[in-house]
Amino acid sequence: MESKADVAHVECVAQLARHLASVPHVHIAHPRRSAVAIVIRLVISTYPPYTPAQTPEATIQSLHAFLNHPLVSSSQAQILFIQRAQHSRDPWSGNIGFPGGKHELCDTSDQDTAERETREELGLDLTKGFVHLGQLDDVAVYLLGQGTRMAVSPHVYLQTQEQSELCVSDEVASAHWIDFSCMVQRAERPVRPFSREYKSIGANIAARIFPKYAQTQPWWFRIASVGLGNLHYTVLPLPYTAEHSVTNKVLETGPNCVRVSDHVRFASDTELYLWGISLCMVSELVDMSLPIAPNRSVASPWPQLGSWLWTDINWVANTVHRVMWSTQRRKPYTTSNDFFVSYFRMLSIAFPL
């Protein structure tokens, strides 16, 4: 049987375009909105001509001719990731993700937001030399104890013309083109929580639930911190190389320099650490790119409680996740974006048990 990692990248892009065009995305109605651009490029020396189209059906036909061109048919795909610069007012400071940002009054749609933010952050004009493949499901930004704070709309683009080098702004510490194989291979061998290769980003549960008590009642807060432990967000390591990376020389920061604190790092000298809602988007992207949907996500984006303290609750949570994930697929099912909220509701029931 052919391995999912061995599926030709061009075939994955073609499958992705067909699925995005044929299956409607899930829209989350929320007053606060953001949008990101997931940019795909094919590593080729010369780009063949691409004929722009006005309708989804014509776009699929143009893509078919473009992807089956001899210069393109055996190429490798890469996806553009960024590491955000360190800013005190940015809640995603230092995180690995995609170019994008908040909806502004000048934007007429989420797609306009993604294109404007990408142009501002990387100097990349997605309206020229790119084709908009479609939109992934909206992702809810959910914070424990605070509910849904924002809806993020991911838009997928494919590069069809040669582009100049990326020009990163002061909002971006570095930009990286990552081989698509690094993500596809995880459909067969996903990252398992607390395994030998497992990496995570921790969050103090007491600080999430009782943020004011850290200053007003420090002793009680310490007891709560020890008793509740941490939430561990699974990390998907993405190897990167200097050849396919651009660093912000003005800020004089590289992927290994930006961190939230001494205990939280979002990159090493060789890997980017993808987690949270960006990992949710990558999981759906891989799902939509493969001819047959994988049995599980490339890495569970849902948090795990400390293994030494909450072993039984973790087992319940993982079991619920495995059962629910199979019905959360947009292909061929319709995804329900209530899963993240349902997960925390389940944990709130499991805590007293």
Side-chain angles (χ1 to χ4, degrees), residues 169-187:
S169 70
D170 58 359
E171 299 180 54
V172 178
S174 56
H176 308 267
W177 290 102
I178 305 297
D179 190 355
F180 189 51
S181 297
C182 298
M183 289 149 267
V184 175
Q185 67 182 359
R186 287 297 182 177

Side-chain angles (χ1 to χ4, degrees), residues 42-260:
L42 301 170
V43 183
I44 52 181
S45 57
T46 305
Y47 278 84
Y50 172 79
T51 304
Q54 301 299 323
T55 64
E57 296 78 10
T59 299
I60 295 299
Q61 294 177 0
S62 296
L63 280 172
H64 179 78
F66 176 79
L67 295 175
N68 284 279
H69 193 280
L71 293 173
V72 179
S73 58
S74 60
S75 60
Q76 299 293 304
Q78 294 179 332
I79 297 180
L80 181 60
F81 290 89
I82 66 169
Q83 181 173 31
R84 306 199 68 82
Q86 189 169 15
H87 290 291
S88 58
R89 295 184 179 181
D90 185 0
W92 292 280
S93 174
N95 275 249
I96 307 301
F98 302 106
K102 295 181 180 179
H103 179 86
E104 302 289 350
L105 294 176
C106 60
D107 301 325
T108 59
S109 64
D110 291 335
Q111 183 177 342
D112 284 349
T113 302
E115 293 172 354
R116 175 184 55 78
E117 288 285 347
T118 303
R119 185 167 54 251
E120 293 174 357
E121 294 179 354
L122 299 175
L124 202 61
D125 190 351
L126 297 177
T127 63
K128 301 177 181 178
F130 292 86
V131 56
H132 181 245
L133 298 184
Q135 182 178 346
L136 298 178
D137 292 339
D138 285 359
V139 179
V141 179
Y142 181 84
L143 297 179
L144 183 62
Q146 301 182 34
T148 301
R149 301 295 304 277
M150 181 183 296
V152 182
S153 173
H155 290 261
V156 185
Y157 294 83
L158 174 67
Q159 180 177 327
T160 57
Q161 295 179 9
E162 186 66 34
Q163 300 290 327
S164 58
E165 186 177 353
L166 298 175
C167 181
V168 295
S169 70
D170 58 359
E171 299 180 54
V172 178
S174 56
H176 308 267
W177 290 102
I178 305 297
D179 190 355
F180 189 51
S181 297
C182 298
M183 289 149 267
V184 175
Q185 67 182 359
R186 287 297 182 177
E188 289 185 337
R189 191 174 58 85
V191 178
R192 299 184 181 279
F194 304 113
S195 62
R196 181 172 297 181
E197 65 172 351
Y198 177 71
K199 294 183 177 69
S200 68
I201 291 177
N204 187 296
I205 297 177
R208 290 285 188 92
I209 303 177
F210 315 109
K212 297 180 180 179
Y213 289 176
Q215 300 295 330
T216 59
Q217 301 186 38
W219 283 104
W220 189 94
F221 181 81
R222 291 181 185 178
I223 294 174
S225 297
V226 174
L228 295 176
N230 291 330
L231 283 174
H232 297 271
Y233 291 88
T234 303
V235 160
L236 177 64
L238 298 175
Y240 70 90
T241 61
E243 178 185 2
H244 299 299
S245 302
V246 178
T247 300
N248 193 326
K249 297 180 180 179
V250 176
L251 297 178
E252 296 183 350
T253 58
N256 195 26
C257 302
V258 182
R259 63 183 71 181
V260 172

Side-chain angles (χ1 to χ4, degrees), residues 286-305:
V286 171
D287 182 8
M288 301 287 282
S289 301
L290 295 176
I292 300 176
N295 295 326
R296 63 196 83 181
S297 54
V298 296
S300 170
W302 321 116
Q304 305 289 317
L305 295 163

